[in-house]
Amino acid sequence: MKKLLFIFPLIILWACANPFAPELVDEENRQNVLFDQTTVDGLFQNWSIAYNFRDTIVYSLLLDDEFMFTFRDFELGVDKSWSRETDMLTTHKLFQTSEYIELFWNDYLFTSGDSLLWDATRNFNLKITFSADDIVNITGRARVRLRRPTGDDNWKIYAWIDESNY
């Protein structure tokens, strides 16, 4: 009987926990899985993490307050741009409507800069799965300008020009 009194509360505790529902990641644990964003490579690795885990909080940590995204509207034959706020909203919608995203950065095609301003051009592979029948594979090129206030601060994306031809 004493064994039952001991085991019964354990069974109740186990039954109340859902083993298939992961715990929310708190801010301290989130920082433990991110790369050092005081390096350019760390920023790009965190960019992949943000997309791969569809995490808008991590993504928001990448963007400068004055961030600008520019892309080519091939139907109209013009370049279009939008601000950080629009990019966050658009990216959030992408993360919510997709089942799976995989962003992989390839080698640097171009780099130039100093400890406060850095320009880089990289090719990337992006796979977006909306459903089993709706999978988009993109091979593209991003030209980005990174900046930070001091050499000890994290790099932030100030400008992203999508040079993809899709």
Side-chain angles (χ1 to χ4, degrees), residues 69-102:
F69 175 72
T70 303
F71 64 98
R72 184 76 177 169
D73 183 329
F74 289 101
E75 290 180 13
L76 296 177
V78 297
D79 291 334
K80 293 185 174 181
S81 296
W82 62 51
S83 67
R84 182 183 199 282
E85 181 179 328
T86 302
D87 192 72
M88 285 299 305
L89 181 61
T90 304
T91 303
H92 173 74
K93 288 179 182 178
L94 171 66
F95 290 175
Q96 293 299 308
T97 58
S98 61
E99 292 180 2
Y100 175 79
I101 299 178
E102 182 178 68

Coordinates of all heavy atoms in Angstrom, one line a residue, residues 69-102:
F69 N 14.7 46.1 -47.3 CA 14.7 44.9 -48.2 C 14.4 45.4 -49.6 O 13.4 46.1 -49.7 CB 13.8 43.9 -47.7 CG 13.7 42.7 -48.6 CD1 14.7 41.8 -48.7 CD2 12.5 42.5 -49.4 CE1 14.6 40.7 -49.6 CE2 12.4 41.4 -50.3 CZ 13.5 40.5 -50.4
T70 N 15.2 45.0 -50.6 CA 14.9 45.4 -51.9 C 14.9 44.2 -52.8 O 15.8 43.3 -52.6 CB 16.0 46.4 -52.4 OG1 16.0 47.5 -51.6 CG2 15.7 46.8 -53.9
F71 N 13.9 44.1 -53.7 CA 13.8 43.0 -54.6 C 13.3 43.4 -56.0 O 12.8 44.5 -56.1 CB 12.9 41.9 -54.0 CG 11.4 42.4 -53.9 CD1 10.5 42.1 -54.9 CD2 11.1 43.1 -52.8 CE1 9.2 42.5 -54.7 CE2 9.8 43.6 -52.7 CZ 8.8 43.3 -53.6
R72 N 13.5 42.6 -57.0 CA 13.1 42.9 -58.3 C 11.7 42.3 -58.6 O 11.5 41.2 -58.4 CB 14.1 42.3 -59.3 CG 13.8 42.7 -60.8 CD 14.2 44.1 -61.0 NE 14.0 44.4 -62.4 CZ 14.1 45.7 -62.9 NH1 14.4 46.6 -62.1 NH2 13.9 45.9 -64.1
D73 N 10.8 43.2 -59.0 CA 9.4 42.8 -59.4 C 9.5 42.6 -60.9 O 9.5 43.5 -61.7 CB 8.4 43.8 -59.1 CG 7.0 43.4 -59.5 OD1 6.8 42.6 -60.4 OD2 6.0 43.8 -58.8
F74 N 9.7 41.3 -61.3 CA 10.0 41.0 -62.7 C 8.8 41.3 -63.6 O 8.9 41.6 -64.8 CB 10.5 39.6 -62.9 CG 11.9 39.4 -62.4 CD1 12.1 38.8 -61.1 CD2 13.0 39.8 -63.1 CE1 13.4 38.6 -60.6 CE2 14.3 39.6 -62.6 CZ 14.5 39.1 -61.4
E75 N 7.6 41.1 -63.1 CA 6.3 41.4 -63.8 C 6.2 42.8 -64.2 O 5.8 43.2 -65.3 CB 5.1 40.9 -63.1 CG 5.0 39.4 -62.9 CD 3.7 39.0 -62.2 OE1 2.9 39.9 -61.9 OE2 3.7 37.8 -61.8
L76 N 6.6 43.7 -63.3 CA 6.5 45.2 -63.6 C 7.8 45.7 -64.1 O 7.9 46.9 -64.6 CB 6.1 45.9 -62.3 CG 4.7 45.6 -61.8 CD1 4.4 46.4 -60.5 CD2 3.6 46.0 -62.8
G77 N 8.9 45.0 -63.9 CA 10.2 45.4 -64.4 C 10.8 46.6 -63.5 O 11.5 47.4 -64.1
V78 N 10.5 46.6 -62.2 CA 11.0 47.6 -61.3 C 11.5 47.0 -60.0 O 11.1 45.9 -59.7 CB 9.9 48.6 -61.0 CG1 9.4 49.4 -62.2 CG2 8.7 48.0 -60.3
D79 N 12.4 47.7 -59.4 CA 12.8 47.3 -58.0 C 11.8 47.9 -57.0 O 11.3 49.0 -57.1 CB 14.2 47.8 -57.7 CG 15.3 47.1 -58.6 OD1 15.1 46.0 -59.0 OD2 16.3 47.8 -58.8
K80 N 11.5 47.0 -56.0 CA 10.7 47.5 -54.9 C 11.4 47.3 -53.6 O 12.3 46.4 -53.5 CB 9.4 46.6 -54.9 CG 8.5 46.9 -56.1 CD 7.2 46.2 -55.9 CE 6.2 46.5 -57.1 NZ 4.9 45.8 -56.9
S81 N 11.0 48.1 -52.6 CA 11.7 48.0 -51.3 C 10.6 48.0 -50.2 O 9.5 48.6 -50.4 CB 12.6 49.2 -51.1 OG 13.7 49.1 -52.0
W82 N 11.0 47.5 -49.0 CA 10.1 47.7 -47.9 C 11.0 47.7 -46.6 O 12.1 47.4 -46.6 CB 9.0 46.6 -47.8 CG 9.4 45.2 -47.6 CD1 10.3 44.6 -46.7 CD2 8.9 44.1 -48.4 NE1 10.4 43.3 -46.9 CE2 9.5 42.9 -47.9 CE3 8.0 44.0 -49.4 CZ2 9.3 41.6 -48.4 CZ3 7.8 42.7 -50.0 CH2 8.4 41.6 -49.4
S83 N 10.3 48.2 -45.6 CA 11.0 48.5 -44.3 C 11.1 47.3 -43.4 O 10.5 46.2 -43.7 CB 10.3 49.6 -43.6 OG 9.0 49.2 -43.2
R84 N 11.7 47.5 -42.3 CA 11.8 46.4 -41.2 C 10.4 45.9 -40.8 O 10.2 44.7 -40.7 CB 12.6 47.0 -40.0 CG 12.8 45.9 -38.9 CD 13.5 46.6 -37.7 NE 14.1 45.6 -36.9 CZ 13.5 44.9 -36.0 NH1 12.2 45.0 -35.9 NH2 14.1 44.0 -35.2
E85 N 9.5 46.8 -40.6 CA 8.2 46.5 -40.1 C 7.5 45.6 -41.1 O 6.9 44.5 -40.8 CB 7.4 47.7 -39.9 CG 6.0 47.4 -39.3 CD 5.2 48.7 -39.1 OE1 5.8 49.7 -38.7 OE2 4.0 48.7 -39.2
T86 N 7.5 45.9 -42.4 CA 6.9 45.1 -43.4 C 7.6 43.8 -43.6 O 7.0 42.8 -43.8 CB 6.9 45.9 -44.8 OG1 6.2 47.1 -44.6 CG2 6.2 45.1 -45.9
D87 N 8.9 43.8 -43.5 CA 9.7 42.6 -43.6 C 9.4 41.6 -42.5 O 9.2 40.4 -42.7 CB 11.2 42.8 -43.7 CG 12.0 41.6 -44.1 OD1 11.9 41.3 -45.3 OD2 12.6 41.0 -43.2
M88 N 9.3 42.1 -41.3 CA 8.9 41.3 -40.1 C 7.5 40.7 -40.3 O 7.3 39.5 -40.1 CB 9.0 42.1 -38.8 CG 10.4 42.4 -38.3 SD 11.3 40.9 -38.0 CE 10.3 40.0 -36.8
L89 N 6.6 41.5 -40.8 CA 5.2 41.0 -41.0 C 5.2 39.9 -42.1 O 4.6 38.8 -42.0 CB 4.3 42.1 -41.4 CG 2.8 41.8 -41.6 CD1 2.2 41.1 -40.4 CD2 2.0 43.0 -42.0
T90 N 5.9 40.2 -43.2 CA 6.0 39.2 -44.3 C 6.6 37.9 -43.9 O 6.2 36.8 -44.2 CB 6.7 39.9 -45.5 OG1 6.0 41.1 -45.8 CG2 6.7 39.0 -46.7
T91 N 7.7 38.1 -43.2 CA 8.5 36.9 -42.7 C 7.6 36.1 -41.7 O 7.6 34.8 -41.8 CB 9.8 37.3 -42.1 OG1 10.6 38.0 -43.1 CG2 10.6 36.1 -41.7
H92 N 6.9 36.8 -40.8 CA 6.1 36.1 -39.9 C 5.0 35.3 -40.6 O 4.7 34.1 -40.3 CB 5.4 37.1 -38.9 CG 4.4 36.5 -38.1 ND1 4.7 35.7 -37.0 CD2 3.0 36.6 -38.1 CE1 3.6 35.3 -36.4 NE2 2.5 35.8 -37.0
K93 N 4.4 35.9 -41.7 CA 3.4 35.2 -42.4 C 4.0 33.9 -43.1 O 3.4 32.9 -43.2 CB 2.7 36.1 -43.5 CG 1.8 37.1 -42.8 CD 1.2 38.0 -43.9 CE 0.3 39.1 -43.3 NZ -0.2 40.0 -44.3
L94 N 5.2 34.1 -43.7 CA 5.9 33.0 -44.3 C 6.1 31.8 -43.3 O 5.8 30.7 -43.6 CB 7.2 33.4 -44.9 CG 8.1 32.3 -45.4 CD1 7.5 31.6 -46.6 CD2 9.5 32.8 -45.8
F95 N 6.6 32.2 -42.1 CA 6.9 31.2 -41.1 C 5.6 30.5 -40.7 O 5.6 29.3 -40.4 CB 7.5 31.8 -39.9 CG 9.0 32.3 -40.1 CD1 9.7 32.9 -39.2 CD2 9.6 32.0 -41.3 CE1 11.0 33.3 -39.3 CE2 11.0 32.4 -41.5 CZ 11.6 33.1 -40.5
Q96 N 4.5 31.2 -40.6 CA 3.2 30.6 -40.1 C 2.6 29.8 -41.2 O 1.9 28.8 -40.9 CB 2.2 31.8 -39.7 CG 2.6 32.5 -38.5 CD 2.7 31.6 -37.3 OE1 1.8 30.9 -37.0 NE2 3.9 31.7 -36.6
T97 N 2.7 30.1 -42.5 CA 2.0 29.3 -43.5 C 2.8 28.2 -44.0 O 2.3 27.3 -44.8 CB 1.7 30.2 -44.7 OG1 2.9 30.9 -45.2 CG2 0.7 31.3 -44.3
S98 N 4.1 28.1 -43.7 CA 4.9 26.9 -44.1 C 5.0 25.8 -43.1 O 4.9 26.1 -41.9 CB 6.3 27.4 -44.5 OG 6.9 28.0 -43.3
E99 N 5.2 24.6 -43.6 CA 5.4 23.5 -42.7 C 6.9 23.3 -42.4 O 7.2 22.8 -41.3 CB 4.8 22.2 -43.3 CG 3.3 22.2 -43.4 CD 2.8 21.0 -44.1 OE1 3.6 20.0 -44.4 OE2 1.6 20.9 -44.3
Y100 N 7.7 23.7 -43.3 CA 9.1 23.4 -43.2 C 9.9 24.4 -44.0 O 9.5 24.7 -45.1 CB 9.4 22.0 -43.7 CG 10.9 21.6 -43.7 CD1 11.6 21.2 -42.5 CD2 11.6 21.6 -44.9 CE1 12.9 20.9 -42.5 CE2 13.0 21.3 -44.9 CZ 13.6 20.9 -43.7 OH 14.9 20.6 -43.8
I101 N 11.0 24.9 -43.4 CA 11.9 25.8 -44.2 C 13.3 25.4 -43.9 O 13.7 25.1 -42.8 CB 11.7 27.3 -43.8 CG1 10.3 27.8 -44.1 CG2 12.7 28.2 -44.5 CD1 10.0 29.2 -43.6
E102 N 14.1 25.4 -45.0 CA 15.5 25.2 -44.8 C 16.3 26.2 -45.6 O 16.1 26.3 -46.8 CB 15.9 23.8 -45.3 CG 17.4 23.4 -45.1 CD 17.7 22.0 -45.6 OE1 17.6 21.7 -46.8 OE2 17.9 21.2 -44.7

